[in-house]
């Protein structure tokens, strides 16, 4: 089993990282760090360049989370995927037998999240795994 974390280095994802590291350490399981982003549709060199840039941004963001997890003695697996974040998290949870999917929230109202399609809102409705939504701290929203 594993703990699966959606991480993008946003202020809302930092408390989720701390929670996911704590859970992974407590259950002695690896932390699967997932960065999912799907570039706008298209073909050709511009699309491929955009995709490469997003992938590099994801690797940089996740590398900071890996360092924090390793400092806490937690093993990590990294997945930078060219998929929409909710789908990337669901699929990674299946591949790694995720015990729970952990994501941060931005403190949006449920209505705003439903209308705008927040990742946490999508996961709560689509995932067959438990989803832990960690609210952003007051100074991080």
């Amino acid at each position: 089993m594993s703990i699966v974390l959606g991480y993008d280095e946003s202020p809302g994802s930092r408390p989720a990282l701390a929670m996911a590291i704590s859970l992974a350490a407590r259950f002695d399981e690896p932390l699967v760090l997932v960065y999912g982003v799907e570039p706008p549709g298209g073909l050709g060199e511009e699309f491929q360049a955009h995709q490469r840039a997003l992938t590099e941004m994801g690797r940089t963001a996740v590398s900071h989370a890996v360092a924090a997890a390793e400092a806490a003695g937690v093993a990590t697996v990294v997945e930078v995927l060219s998929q929409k974040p909710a789908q990337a998290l669901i699929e990674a949870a299946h591949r790694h037998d995720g015990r729970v999917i952990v994501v941060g929230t931005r403190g949006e109202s449920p209505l705003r999240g439903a209308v705008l399609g927040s990742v946490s809102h999508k996961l709560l409705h689509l995932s067959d795994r438990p989803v832990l939504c960690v609210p952003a701290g007051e100074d991080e929203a």
Side-chain angles (χ1 to χ4, degrees):
M1 296 192 92
S2 66
I3 305 299
V4 177
L5 171 66
Y7 189 77
D8 62 4
E9 211 168 37
S10 66
S13 68
R14 292 181 194 133
L17 172 62
M19 177 62 73
I21 289 172
S22 174
L23 289 171
R26 182 169 298 158
F27 291 111
D28 194 28
E29 294 181 350
L31 176 60
V32 179
L33 294 151
V34 179
Y35 183 95
V37 64
E38 187 173 65
L43 298 172
E45 183 56 36
E46 185 175 319
F47 171 77
Q48 291 172 355
H50 191 165
Q51 189 168 18
R52 283 191 302 271
L54 290 172
T55 298
E56 186 57 36
M57 286 173 43
R59 290 196 191 290
T60 300
V62 172
S63 71
H64 299 138
V66 168
E70 289 178 350
V74 172
T76 60
V77 176
V78 172
E79 294 219 9
V80 177
L81 304 169
S82 293
Q83 293 177 297
K84 292 181 179 177
Q87 193 61 39
L89 286 161
I90 290 168
E91 290 182 18
H94 282 271
R95 276 193 302 280
H96 297 279
D97 193 21
R99 176 185 296 264
V100 63
I101 299 172
V102 181
V103 291
T105 64
R106 290 183 229 155
E108 295 175 343
S109 71
L111 179 60
R112 181 174 167 92
V115 171
L116 297 179
S118 74
V119 172
S120 56
H121 188 265
K122 287 178 185 174
L123 286 170
L124 288 170
H125 292 281
L126 299 175
S127 178
D128 62 352
R129 311 284 168 132
V131 177
L132 175 57
C133 298
V134 181
E138 289 181 27
D139 57 339
E140 300 190 43

